[in-house]
Amino acid sequence: MPELPEMETYRGLLHQQICGAAITAATVQREKTINVPPAQFVQTVQGNRLTLIERRAKHLLFHLQSGHVLLLHLMLGGFLYLGTAEDKLARTAQVTLSFGERILYFHGLRLGYLHLLTPDQIDERMASLGPEPLEPGFTLDRFLELLAEKRGVLKTTLVDQHWIAGIGNCYSDEICFHAGILPTRRIPELTAGERARLYHSMQTVLTEAIRFGGYMDQPLYRGDRLTGGFDERCQVYDRGGEPCPRCGQPIEKGELSSRKVFACTNCQH
């Protein structure tokens, strides 16, 4: 599932490619992907101009000139492709938005959604999300305050979107590996030093993942050399059985609360 770095990569690239352009056409192939009747969706967005693209947690927010906002959550298996009718992928798109000859294809939204909302509805949807881990106000002191309130397992806490927004399966494991802490540790057991390391690892891993375009393997558009560049830099996630890059011991794959978890039980403590 795309996480904060993947969605931030999409946001930055789409801002460069289509922000400020008018939506010249729209199609809906799967009605359940949207939250209004298809005719209403098309009538509202067609002719509207895209004024701003924001990211919040694992969501993208496409702000339209009319004041409406398209709220995207890709969930599991969703991805975007920006191309033309000639170079489109051999995949069904649940929704398309055309910007002249260029078309933004929304693929794999069987679980995800693209909802047309008002600003008040957006505020209501986003209200329960936790703070952004890379925002300037998210200091070490703030992190320690939030951590002091938790009693559960570290990985389960890191992926809780109501606690901190944007981290999922991949980056929770990568952050724990960088910090040298097992993701199965209980939070009350963490020392002051481990808590500080965890914060700095969160900043380092997420910033690096954005810099290298996240781990999505499908380029956003033809010639896109950024998207997916972090995949080969993942240290433990989805690397069960491979040697640990720090100590050489095989990385172990386990399960925690129905989530995959990857760690080195030799050099993470």
Side-chain angles (χ1 to χ4, degrees):
M1 179 185 293
E3 302 176 33
L4 186 159
E6 288 69 48
M7 301 310 284
E8 183 62 25
T9 299
Y10 275 155
R11 184 207 63 77
L13 292 177
L14 289 173
H15 174 80
Q16 296 171 9
Q17 297 290 324
I18 59 174
C19 196
I23 300 172
T24 55
T27 67
V28 177
Q29 296 294 329
R30 184 174 184 271
E31 189 169 349
K32 289 183 178 179
T33 297
I34 60 176
N35 62 323
V36 296
Q40 180 184 344
F41 181 91
V42 171
Q43 182 179 20
T44 303
V45 303
Q46 193 164 298
N48 230 320
R49 190 170 296 277
L50 182 58
T51 60
L52 176 67
I53 305 172
E54 289 184 305
R55 180 196 56 77
R56 178 71 170 102
K58 301 177 185 180
H59 305 81
L60 281 188
L61 291 81
F62 298 87
H63 293 261
L64 304 179
Q65 191 172 31
S66 63
H68 293 89
V69 182
L70 291 170
L71 179 66
L72 172 68
H73 197 315
L74 292 173
M75 298 293 285
L76 186 64
F79 68 97
L80 302 177
Y81 183 73
L82 180 64
T84 65
E86 287 71 34
D87 72 358
K88 67 180 181 179
L89 304 179
R91 293 277 301 269
T92 299
Q94 284 69 56
V95 179
T96 67
L97 299 178
S98 298
F99 300 85
E101 293 185 356
R102 306 190 78 185
I103 304 170
L104 182 58
Y105 296 89
F106 295 81
H107 290 289
L109 296 187
R110 298 297 175 183
L111 299 175
Y113 56 81
L114 183 67
H115 286 177
L116 179 66
L117 302 171
T118 65
D120 287 344
Q121 290 172 323
I122 285 290
D123 290 342
E124 184 178 347
R125 287 279 195 100
M126 302 289 104
S128 65
L129 291 172
E132 291 283 332
L134 295 181
E135 67 183 4
F138 192 73
T139 62
L140 173 59
D141 287 343
R142 178 62 178 142
F143 174 72
L144 295 177
E145 288 175 8
L146 291 174
L147 202 59
E149 302 169 356
K150 306 300 288 186
R151 296 291 179 267
V153 175
L154 180 54
K155 169 146 184 161
T156 307
T157 300
L158 285 172
V159 299
D160 179 0
Q161 300 303 295
H162 303 296
W163 186 63
I164 295 177
I167 299 171
N169 273 344
C170 174
Y171 295 105
S172 57
D173 287 350
E174 292 296 308
I175 289 165
C176 288
F177 178 79
H178 190 277
I181 303 169
L182 285 170
T184 52
R185 289 275 299 280
R186 297 196 69 83
I187 289 175
E189 301 170 357
L190 298 177
T191 67
E194 288 173 327
R195 291 167 188 247
R197 285 210 313 272
L198 194 63
Y199 171 80
H200 292 297
S201 292
M202 181 184 302
Q203 304 296 302
T204 300
V205 169
L206 293 177
T207 300
E208 182 181 23
I210 293 170
R211 178 188 169 198
F212 287 96
Y215 65 78
M216 297 283 283
D217 58 2
Q218 172 63 52
L220 175 60
Y221 51 85
R222 183 177 291 181
D224 171 16
R225 299 183 182 276
L226 176 63
T227 302
F230 188 74
D231 184 54
E232 62 183 17
R233 304 178 73 87
C234 284
Q235 303 294 290
V236 292
Y237 183 73
D238 218 15
R239 302 201 185 284
E242 297 181 20
C244 169
R246 252 193 323 239
C247 71
Q249 177 168 305
I251 294 165
E252 294 191 13
K253 174 185 176 182
E255 190 171 295
L256 179 66
S257 301
S258 300
R259 292 178 179 271
K260 293 187 295 183
V261 56
F262 297 88
C264 176
T265 56
N266 185 51
C267 65
Q268 287 176 255
H269 307 287

